[in-house]
Amino acid sequence: MYIDVRAHRPRGLTPRRDVGLYAYERVVERCGLGPVAGVDEAGRGACAGPLVVAAVILAPERRRRIEGLADSKLLTAARRERLYDEITTTAMAWHALIVPREEIDRVGLHRCNIAGMRRALAALSVEPGYVLTDGFRVPGICAPGLPVPKGDRVAACVAAASIVAKVTRDRIMMELHERYPMYGFGVHKGYVTRAHAAALEEHGPCPEHRLSFVNVARVVAAEAGPEIDASDAGEIDWEASHYEDTADQADVA
């Protein structure tokens, strides 16, 4: 016997796609599971610099709605900075966790990402009743949760977390640009571009390059000589060139 599952969904408990970024939070809070935390990261696909994971619990929508909230990659740098200030000023709770390059190379990127999300959520000053994550499930977190595909584009708290993570990491990369100006970190923020690849070939990796990325490991192996295989240069499980470079796409708008 065929049962139409959609007919048995409680009315008002399924987010509609046409009601804006706050739909997920509104539905979860209506079920009595608030407050809702969003979590996202910045720098996962970069071959240099830290990974930054942020968790945000926004103030209830009826109190304050943040206008212009969106996926951080779709915003200009100036607009991200303005929204960062508003989010960190008005949010019920927020936390940004910095995972250094050394930990990424030692533990592995994905494990650092998962552990970082747990740690960022645990560090919130308000305990969440529910967690929305961007794209994939995070086991072992402090509350029930839901992975939301493209969460930073459809859920306000995840979009806010993406902005906090992105702005925090961009500021770090600007500081690293001052220390290592030959790589252009201030422009591409450690992601793989032609200019970054050329600088890496010319100067070799700096202490902030991730040896666990294949493109960096190849340079290390080439510098060490033909007797050293690239697989000896780190935990080679991420091919940086597979990640789309979005470092400059939003900043020109």
Short mmCIF file of all heavy atoms in Angstrom, two decimals, residues 105 200-201 204-206 209-234 236:
data_model
loop_
_atom_site.label_atom_id
_atom_site.label_comp_id
_atom_site.label_asym_id
_atom_site.label_seq_id
_atom_site.Cartn_x
_atom_site.Cartn_y
_atom_site.Cartn_z
N ASP A 105 47.39 19.75 9.29
CA ASP A 105 48.34 18.79 8.73
C ASP A 105 48.49 17.56 9.62
O ASP A 105 48.69 16.45 9.13
CB ASP A 105 49.70 19.46 8.53
CG ASP A 105 49.72 20.37 7.31
OD1 ASP A 105 48.86 20.20 6.43
OD2 ASP A 105 50.60 21.24 7.24
N LEU A 200 54.06 30.13 -5.18
CA LEU A 200 54.44 28.92 -4.45
C LEU A 200 55.59 28.21 -5.16
O LEU A 200 56.54 27.74 -4.52
CB LEU A 200 53.23 28.01 -4.33
CG LEU A 200 53.35 26.75 -3.47
CD1 LEU A 200 53.73 27.11 -2.04
CD2 LEU A 200 52.03 25.98 -3.49
N GLU A 201 55.53 28.16 -6.49
CA GLU A 201 56.61 27.55 -7.26
C GLU A 201 57.90 28.35 -7.13
O GLU A 201 58.99 27.79 -7.02
CB GLU A 201 56.20 27.45 -8.74
CG GLU A 201 55.10 26.45 -9.03
CD GLU A 201 55.61 25.02 -8.98
OE1 GLU A 201 56.85 24.82 -9.05
OE2 GLU A 201 54.78 24.10 -8.89
N GLY A 204 58.60 28.64 -2.87
CA GLY A 204 58.41 27.50 -1.99
C GLY A 204 57.36 27.84 -0.92
O GLY A 204 56.94 28.99 -0.81
N PRO A 205 56.95 26.86 -0.14
CA PRO A 205 55.92 27.12 0.87
C PRO A 205 56.46 27.90 2.06
O PRO A 205 57.64 27.79 2.41
CB PRO A 205 55.48 25.72 1.29
CG PRO A 205 56.66 24.85 1.01
CD PRO A 205 57.33 25.44 -0.18
N CYS A 206 55.58 28.70 2.66
CA CYS A 206 55.91 29.39 3.91
C CYS A 206 55.35 28.55 5.06
O CYS A 206 54.66 27.55 4.83
CB CYS A 206 55.33 30.79 3.91
SG CYS A 206 53.53 30.87 4.21
N HIS A 209 51.59 27.38 4.81
CA HIS A 209 51.06 26.51 3.75
C HIS A 209 50.79 25.12 4.31
O HIS A 209 51.56 24.59 5.12
CB HIS A 209 52.03 26.44 2.58
CG HIS A 209 51.93 27.59 1.64
ND1 HIS A 209 52.78 28.67 1.69
CD2 HIS A 209 51.05 27.85 0.63
CE1 HIS A 209 52.45 29.54 0.76
NE2 HIS A 209 51.39 29.07 0.10
N ARG A 210 49.69 24.53 3.88
CA ARG A 210 49.27 23.22 4.36
C ARG A 210 49.99 22.11 3.58
O ARG A 210 49.74 21.91 2.39
CB ARG A 210 47.76 23.06 4.21
CG ARG A 210 46.96 24.11 4.97
CD ARG A 210 45.47 23.96 4.68
NE ARG A 210 44.69 25.03 5.31
CZ ARG A 210 43.39 25.20 5.16
NH1 ARG A 210 42.71 24.34 4.38
NH2 ARG A 210 42.76 26.19 5.75
N LEU A 211 50.87 21.41 4.25
CA LEU A 211 51.61 20.33 3.61
C LEU A 211 50.72 19.16 3.23
O LEU A 211 51.11 18.30 2.44
CB LEU A 211 52.73 19.85 4.54
CG LEU A 211 53.76 20.91 4.95
CD1 LEU A 211 54.80 20.28 5.85
CD2 LEU A 211 54.39 21.56 3.73
N SER A 212 49.53 19.09 3.80
CA SER A 212 48.60 18.01 3.49
C SER A 212 47.82 18.24 2.21
O SER A 212 46.96 17.42 1.85
CB SER A 212 47.62 17.80 4.66
OG SER A 212 47.04 19.02 5.05
N PHE A 213 48.11 19.33 1.50
CA PHE A 213 47.51 19.57 0.20
C PHE A 213 48.50 19.18 -0.89
O PHE A 213 49.69 19.49 -0.80
CB PHE A 213 47.10 21.04 0.05
CG PHE A 213 45.72 21.35 0.56
CD1 PHE A 213 45.43 21.22 1.91
CD2 PHE A 213 44.72 21.77 -0.30
CE1 PHE A 213 44.16 21.48 2.39
CE2 PHE A 213 43.45 22.04 0.18
CZ PHE A 213 43.16 21.90 1.52
N VAL A 214 48.01 18.51 -1.92
CA VAL A 214 48.87 17.92 -2.93
C VAL A 214 49.74 18.96 -3.62
O VAL A 214 50.92 18.72 -3.86
CB VAL A 214 48.02 17.13 -3.95
CG1 VAL A 214 48.86 16.72 -5.14
CG2 VAL A 214 47.41 15.90 -3.29
N ASN A 215 49.17 20.13 -3.94
CA ASN A 215 49.96 21.11 -4.68
C ASN A 215 51.13 21.63 -3.84
O ASN A 215 52.23 21.88 -4.36
CB ASN A 215 49.08 22.27 -5.16
CG ASN A 215 48.46 23.05 -4.01
OD1 ASN A 215 48.08 22.47 -2.99
ND2 ASN A 215 48.34 24.35 -4.17
N VAL A 216 50.94 21.77 -2.53
CA VAL A 216 52.04 22.21 -1.66
C VAL A 216 53.05 21.07 -1.50
O VAL A 216 54.26 21.29 -1.56
CB VAL A 216 51.50 22.64 -0.29
CG1 VAL A 216 52.64 23.07 0.63
CG2 VAL A 216 50.48 23.78 -0.45
N ALA A 217 52.56 19.85 -1.31
CA ALA A 217 53.44 18.70 -1.15
C ALA A 217 54.33 18.49 -2.37
O ALA A 217 55.50 18.09 -2.24
CB ALA A 217 52.62 17.45 -0.87
N ARG A 218 53.79 18.75 -3.55
CA ARG A 218 54.58 18.59 -4.77
C ARG A 218 55.75 19.56 -4.80
O ARG A 218 56.85 19.22 -5.22
CB ARG A 218 53.69 18.80 -6.00
CG ARG A 218 52.78 17.63 -6.31
CD ARG A 218 51.84 17.97 -7.44
NE ARG A 218 50.92 16.86 -7.71
CZ ARG A 218 49.72 17.01 -8.27
NH1 ARG A 218 49.30 18.22 -8.60
NH2 ARG A 218 48.96 15.97 -8.49
N VAL A 219 55.51 20.78 -4.36
CA VAL A 219 56.58 21.77 -4.31
C VAL A 219 57.65 21.36 -3.31
O VAL A 219 58.85 21.47 -3.56
CB VAL A 219 56.02 23.17 -3.98
CG1 VAL A 219 57.14 24.18 -3.78
CG2 VAL A 219 55.09 23.66 -5.09
N VAL A 220 57.21 20.88 -2.15
CA VAL A 220 58.15 20.41 -1.13
C VAL A 220 58.99 19.26 -1.68
O VAL A 220 60.21 19.22 -1.50
CB VAL A 220 57.39 19.96 0.14
CG1 VAL A 220 58.33 19.28 1.13
CG2 VAL A 220 56.70 21.15 0.80
N ALA A 221 58.34 18.32 -2.36
CA ALA A 221 59.05 17.18 -2.91
C ALA A 221 60.04 17.60 -3.99
O ALA A 221 61.15 17.08 -4.07
CB ALA A 221 58.05 16.17 -3.48
N ALA A 222 59.64 18.57 -4.81
CA ALA A 222 60.53 19.05 -5.87
C ALA A 222 61.76 19.72 -5.28
O ALA A 222 62.87 19.59 -5.80
CB ALA A 222 59.78 20.01 -6.78
N GLU A 223 61.57 20.48 -4.19
CA GLU A 223 62.70 21.14 -3.54
C GLU A 223 63.63 20.13 -2.88
O GLU A 223 64.85 20.32 -2.84
CB GLU A 223 62.19 22.13 -2.48
CG GLU A 223 61.53 23.36 -3.05
CD GLU A 223 61.09 24.31 -1.96
OE1 GLU A 223 60.93 23.87 -0.81
OE2 GLU A 223 60.90 25.51 -2.27
N ALA A 224 63.05 19.02 -2.37
CA ALA A 224 63.85 18.03 -1.67
C ALA A 224 64.66 17.16 -2.62
O ALA A 224 65.67 16.58 -2.23
CB ALA A 224 62.94 17.15 -0.81
N GLY A 225 64.23 17.09 -3.88
CA GLY A 225 64.96 16.29 -4.84
C GLY A 225 64.15 15.11 -5.32
O GLY A 225 63.15 14.72 -4.70
N PRO A 226 64.57 14.48 -6.41
CA PRO A 226 63.80 13.39 -7.02
C PRO A 226 63.69 12.15 -6.16
O PRO A 226 62.80 11.33 -6.35
CB PRO A 226 64.57 13.09 -8.31
CG PRO A 226 65.96 13.60 -8.05
CD PRO A 226 65.80 14.78 -7.15
N GLU A 227 64.59 11.98 -5.16
CA GLU A 227 64.51 10.78 -4.33
C GLU A 227 63.39 10.86 -3.31
O GLU A 227 63.04 9.88 -2.67
CB GLU A 227 65.84 10.55 -3.59
CG GLU A 227 66.16 11.57 -2.50
CD GLU A 227 66.74 12.87 -3.06
OE1 GLU A 227 66.83 12.98 -4.30
OE2 GLU A 227 67.10 13.74 -2.26
N ILE A 228 62.77 12.06 -3.11
CA ILE A 228 61.69 12.22 -2.17
C ILE A 228 60.36 12.22 -2.90
O ILE A 228 60.15 13.02 -3.82
CB ILE A 228 61.83 13.54 -1.37
CG1 ILE A 228 63.17 13.57 -0.66
CG2 ILE A 228 60.68 13.69 -0.39
CD1 ILE A 228 63.35 12.49 0.38
N ASP A 229 59.49 11.30 -2.52
CA ASP A 229 58.16 11.23 -3.14
C ASP A 229 57.23 12.24 -2.49
O ASP A 229 57.34 12.53 -1.30
CB ASP A 229 57.59 9.82 -2.99
CG ASP A 229 56.29 9.66 -3.76
OD1 ASP A 229 56.35 9.51 -4.99
OD2 ASP A 229 55.23 9.69 -3.11
N ALA A 230 56.27 12.78 -3.27
CA ALA A 230 55.34 13.79 -2.74
C ALA A 230 54.52 13.25 -1.58
O ALA A 230 54.13 14.00 -0.70
CB ALA A 230 54.40 14.27 -3.85
N SER A 231 54.29 11.96 -1.54
CA SER A 231 53.47 11.41 -0.47
C SER A 231 54.18 11.44 0.87
O SER A 231 53.55 11.26 1.92
CB SER A 231 53.09 9.96 -0.80
OG SER A 231 54.25 9.16 -0.93
N ASP A 232 55.49 11.71 0.90
CA ASP A 232 56.22 11.81 2.16
C ASP A 232 56.14 13.19 2.78
O ASP A 232 56.60 13.40 3.89
CB ASP A 232 57.71 11.47 1.94
CG ASP A 232 57.90 10.02 1.50
OD1 ASP A 232 57.10 9.18 1.95
OD2 ASP A 232 58.83 9.76 0.73
N ALA A 233 55.55 14.14 2.06
CA ALA A 233 55.56 15.52 2.52
C ALA A 233 54.40 15.87 3.43
O ALA A 233 54.31 16.97 3.93
CB ALA A 233 55.56 16.47 1.31
N GLY A 234 53.48 14.95 3.66
CA GLY A 234 52.35 15.25 4.53
C GLY A 234 51.24 14.24 4.34
O GLY A 234 51.40 13.24 3.63
N ILE A 236 48.56 13.35 2.45
CA ILE A 236 48.11 13.81 1.14
C ILE A 236 46.71 13.27 0.85
O ILE A 236 46.53 12.20 0.29
CB ILE A 236 49.08 13.38 0.03
CG1 ILE A 236 50.51 13.71 0.43
CG2 ILE A 236 48.72 14.06 -1.28
CD1 ILE A 236 50.74 15.17 0.75
#
